[in-house]
Amino acid sequence: MKTSAVFSALVSLLSLASAASSDSNSKSKSSSTSTFTPPQVFKNANLVHVVSVEKNYVKENINVLVENIDKAAQDEYFLPFTADQMSRLGGVEVKDRKDSSAGLFVAEVVEFDQESDIQYLRIRLPKALAPGAQQTLGISYYLLKAYKPLPASIKQEELQYLTYSFSAYLPSAYTTTKQKTEVKFPSGTIPDYTKLPGSGDIQEFPLKQGSKLTYGPFGEKPAGAIEPVTVRFEFNKPVTHVSLLERDIEVSHWGGNVAFEERYTLHHRGANLSSLFNRVKWQQATYYQPTTFALKEMKFPLRVGSEDPYYTDVIGNVSTSRFRSNKREALLEIKPRYPVFGGWKYPFTIGWNSDAKNFLRKTVSGGFVLNVPFLEGPKQPEGVEYEQVQVRVVLPEGAENVKYHTSIPTQSITEGGVEIHRTFLDTIGRTALVIKARNLVDDFRDRELVITYDYPLMAALRKPLIVFGSAVAVFVAAWAVGNLELKFDARKK
Amino acid sequence: MSADPLQVLASAGKGESTRGLLRVIILLLIAAAAIASRLFSVIRFESIIHEFDPWFNFRATKYLVANGFYNFWDWFDDRTWHPLGRVTGGTLYPGLMVTSGIIYHALRALTIPVDIRNICVLLAPACSGLTAVATYLLTNEMTPSPSAGLLAALFMGIAPGYISRSVAGSYDNEAIAIFLLVFTFYLWIKALKQGSMLWGALCALFYGYMVASWGGYAFITCLLPLHAFVLICMGRYSTRLYVSYTTWYALGTLASMQIPFVGFLPVKTSEHMPALGIFGFLQLLAFLDYVRAAMPSRQFQTFLWMFAGGTFGLSLLGLVLATSAGVIAPWGGRFYSLWDTSYAKIHIPIIASVSEHQPTAWPAFFFDLNMLIWLFPVGVYLCFQELADEHVFIVVYAVFGSYFAGVMVRLMLTLTPVVCVAAAIAVSTLLDTYLRAKLPKPEEIQAAEASEGKKGAKSGLKSTSKPVVGVYAIWGKSMMVSALAVYLLIFVLHCTWVTSNAYSSPSVVLASRLPDGSQHIIDDYREAYQWLRQNTREDAKIMSWWDYGYQIGGMADRPTLVDNNTWNNTHIATVGKAMSSSEEVSYPIMRQHEVDYVLVVFGGLLGYSGDDINKFLWMVRIAEGIWPEEISERSFFTPRGEYRVDGEATEAMKNSLMYKMSYYNYNNLFPPGKAMDRMRNSLLPEVGPTLSTLDEAFTSENWIIRIYKVKDLDNLGRDHTSAAAFDRGHKKAKKASKKRGPRRLRVD
């Protein structure tokens, strides 16, 4: 702690000096509130920023060629975000574009200064970059709750438009020599977007090609330069937002069964209704206007072999669901009780069972390996975003030595630990592994969660022995009580 | 032991202990059958709470489980009867909820965490199993034949009259109350027969439990004194009666006064006076008994007359004075309607508006009891034959119960146990007579004839003698037995059919059949309630007719104005007035009560009969009861006396809020001029009603539930009618501009 504080103080001094010497002509604003700026040891030689607003969350890809301009080898690359963005940021994955065998780099949130609005993501390069050397980084991440509907409330039969604001220059901690930003849209209908003066032979940015806008290429920009732009595009699909997904996976060795239950708190973040819901129009619209921004149906492709699904909400079973199961697929199609419009909410629960042999394996050393998907949400063409995800894997009573590994980006995982869950006929309670994650999207469905644990034979026999023992105890007690003579006048023979 | 297995099998059932074991097994099977036959709705639909009242009980149980007993006891519910609220803890019978709560916590302690909803859903079937056992015990007190008890248990287990109130999901007070009723009667008979204080105290304990569970406890409170009174009148006063009755009365009354809702009613209201009166009477009798033993008989005669007359006069005077002074409350409205079935219709429409308070139609007896209804008199007759103290009880119960069952549909429930007991006595007597395999030996017959001759000579009355009559012909026996067996089988079929078709619908969920025969579930209620729950403010007040109050509280979790606990007639009449008046009158009422949403049930699209237009006249009547000069039932009928909703509906009807909310926007579903109300089979006017103070907020898939949002005051200070007219694009009426006069330049 101490060293880092000293370090940050030093760095802030440096940054003040560099800010003073930087080009004051630039119209870009550099954040002055920040007391920490990463050491200027890198330069972004070339940068392509791809913003995808095709789904109801934003996916951003940054492909950047970084060059070490310091005299020493460097292994920490910083990426700045505002505090607001940071709270909505998830699924960060960094890799080497040129060398896919290098695997994913470690990317973690580093909050150097509580008071600063700018916070940094620190990317650790696996091998320190020698002075003057270059490396191509591919950084991808997701931003949730990114859009605002405009107009904010529309009629039931109108089209929904969303806006997204971002910076045409990537806000980088380093000087960027050359960059461009591409924006991908779900359709070519983009009624409004910010126009910027062009450079070189291009008159005006952006360039529009089909459902794509391109800002840039831009020339050299200093660290922290931003250029706010806003795009408004047609998105006549539900903006599905799951504020909390609780996913319970219960493993039963005796039953040979793995039970899944998922509780969704689902919101629609799109445009609200300007006049209240009208059933007549809704019924008419189902005939001649099939697309709507209301959420009508969700499809859950479950693992093959899933069975006995249920779909309930707080007042009971919801009858509007269909389950198709055969050798190739197990598709659960559910309809909310009512069409979910913008600003509406619909919490529900689904669950199903599956044979344990689909997920559970015994290792040679006697332990068990459970391999389940971390996330199995609905698969919707417009995507689904999850703000909070809590996965709880309930292992049998007496399971120990629990270890887990997941291919979900580590930046999204906030907590993971083992706790005790008490339920049917437990004496010491079952071992439950609880993993909390945040800001995930449906791109990560089917990422796996691998859990290894030991389950000794005595633990497996505990339950039947205890049930048997207590039954015997009850009979003995009944017999003992029955033998007591309670009456005052003992019968004389 | 080298016995032949066949012999062992044949000898089984002969020994006393084997018989006992068999009896226990049969009883268990009967209990299982009773439970199983109540599960139709769970299997067909789901584990769901049914109808209306159970939703409140369920909500209260959840509150109890979540907040503990003392908070439950002191529960003031501000989410009902807005803005009055309800002292729920003090105005309910807590027995049902506490029972479920205890089961819930007991199962938790045994590490079997069962959802409270499932406990509530399955409580009624579980109790019906216990009722079958209690009926067995009660019947065994009546007759030495063990088969009668088993038959009674079987009848009780599957009789539709009881099933109607105890299917899975029907989580109502009656669910446990009938078990308690039968078991209290059993304990009373036991106490009376033995003159035992222990059994009397047990009887009082279960009586206290019964009081805590159901308002129908008054049935016991009146029946036991009546039994005692009849016994005294028959000259059967005994110390047994004295001990058992006084023990029961003293302890039972104290126990019942522990329930806040009952409180001092047992010493204040007329319903409880018979029990008190008989208690006093028994003391007098005991005193006289003592005096008689100490006095010569002639003096005693005078003493008796003076004493009896004096006491009677004094107590009558005291009663009249106390009643007129208001210390003892006169009989409640529901009680009056028990004596005069048209009383409620005239004086208290709110009681009459409940279908289960209607007098029973004759077919209902056969529907609910099938063959038991004609076996019942036979059983009572057989009781007359023996007429010990316990048989007098059956006779008294039969008379009392039959009367009340005839007056009110729901009291069929209290009649069912005695019908089952009496019918079981009848059937078992028949079976015992005709199934006796042994032929009497000639010398026995001779001996019997000889004794008959002797007796006949003595008394000279043939009817008083008891000739040994036996049926010896095999064909006669087999005919009779097989006929009975067929009747019993038909009874089982009938019970299953009635249970499956009449009593197993949750009524929250409606089932229909698709053309291909598959079941289609119409789930509009829950669709709308879920919408309310998720997409309105936590404290949005919902106005609806009181029938839906409990459901809204339970499923939508929103405050309501009125609900099924109809304690405040004026408040209900206010809602009735808002529903049956025009918008100009209703809007201020709704604003005053801070109503945010109005919910109506409309069955016109689906042909659903339980909708609000069909209940509308009750709203009008109840409102008329309070505001006779503003609401008049007559104005909702056409001059020819018809209740119509089509083009010829009266102005009052067309302008009423209920009519407008039901049919608003409805004609847009149909081609012009073809809008059809499928429930009432009438063609609606081409132009639908317009609403200016309400906005349509939600309509469920099949239009059963329609929810309207009450508009806020107009931003420009206009009244809503003109604002709505302006929005529709109508020009302002010219009259208004004329009034204003010519335009003038404003000079400051």
Side-chain angles (χ1 to χ4, degrees), chain A residues 276 279 283 317 344-345 425, chain B residues 46 111 526-527 535 699:
Chain A
L276 297 164
R279 178 63 69 173
Q283 279 176 338
N317 180 45
W344 288 10
K345 190 173 124 189
L425 299 174
Chain B
E46 58 184 281
T111 66
R526 287 194 292 178
E527 178 190 349
N535 300 313
T699 299

Side-chain angles (χ1 to χ4, degrees), chain A residues 206-336:
Chain A
L207 289 176
K208 183 166 185 264
Q209 294 160 305
S211 60
K212 196 166 97 173
L213 293 183
T214 311
Y215 287 94
F218 300 108
E220 182 167 316
K221 299 291 171 202
I226 54 168
E227 177 60 60
V229 291
T230 301
V231 292
R232 175 167 174 265
F233 54 97
E234 183 191 313
F235 192 90
N236 205 31
K237 287 179 264 188
V239 188
T240 321
H241 174 82
V242 177
S243 60
L244 175 64
L245 164 63
E246 290 168 288
R247 178 169 155 87
D248 284 1
I249 301 163
E250 194 163 345
V251 182
S252 160
H253 281 234
W254 277 102
N257 184 53
V258 182
F260 294 84
E261 180 171 292
E262 296 187 328
R263 294 179 291 279
Y264 289 84
T265 312
L266 186 137
H267 299 261
H268 187 308
R269 288 185 44 83
N272 291 7
L273 285 178
S274 59
S275 59
L276 297 164
F277 178 65
N278 186 324
R279 178 63 69 173
V280 176
K281 280 185 189 165
W282 178 255
Q283 279 176 338
Q284 285 163 354
T286 46
Y287 289 110
Y288 56 84
Q289 191 198 359
T291 63
T292 166
F293 67 103
L295 179 67
K296 284 198 287 192
E297 193 178 30
M298 275 179 284
K299 291 192 169 87
F300 292 78
L302 306 177
R303 286 290 178 90
V304 177
S306 304
E307 52 201 17
D308 347 309
Y310 55 89
Y311 168 36
T312 61
D313 61 18
V314 72
I315 30 180
N317 180 45
V318 190
S319 54
T320 46
S321 68
R322 225 152 32 122
F323 184 59
R324 235 193 336 242
S325 172
N326 52 39
K327 285 213 169 107
R328 279 171 290 108
E329 61 168 359
L331 183 68
L332 176 64
E333 294 172 356
I334 66 169
K335 276 184 194 153

Side-chain angles (χ1 to χ4, degrees), chain B residues 530-557:
Chain B
Q530 176 75 338
W531 182 84
L532 270 179
R533 188 180 186 124
Q534 303 302 340
N535 300 313
T536 58
R537 271 189 301 116
E538 182 83 24
D539 61 341
K541 281 91 191 166
I542 317 287
M543 182 172 95
S544 71
W545 190 232
W546 61 263
D547 294 25
Y548 313 105
Y550 278 165
Q551 288 188 347
I552 295 173
M555 284 192 260
D557 191 25

Side-chain angles (χ1 to χ4, degrees), chain B residues 599-650:
Chain B
L599 183 147
V600 291
V601 174
F602 171 65
L605 182 67
L606 214 62
Y608 171 59
S609 62
D611 72 347
D612 275 349
I613 290 283
N614 279 2
K615 293 177 185 167
F616 190 35
L617 283 178
W618 288 113
M619 305 182 203
V620 174
R621 273 173 211 154
I622 291 169
E624 189 182 4
I626 305 284
W627 292 281
E629 67 285 353
E630 290 177 65
I631 310 280
S632 142
E633 188 183 343
R634 188 66 193 83
S635 61
F636 288 85
F637 287 103
T638 58
R640 298 220 320 254
E642 291 166 308
Y643 179 63
R644 303 185 74 139
V645 294
D646 55 7
E648 288 171 45
T650 60

Side-chain angles (χ1 to χ4, degrees), chain A residues 151-164:
Chain A
S153 51
I154 55 177
K155 281 192 186 148
Q156 201 171 305
E157 65 276 12
E158 283 177 342
L159 296 175
Q160 175 182 253
Y161 290 92
L162 300 179
T163 63
Y164 177 55

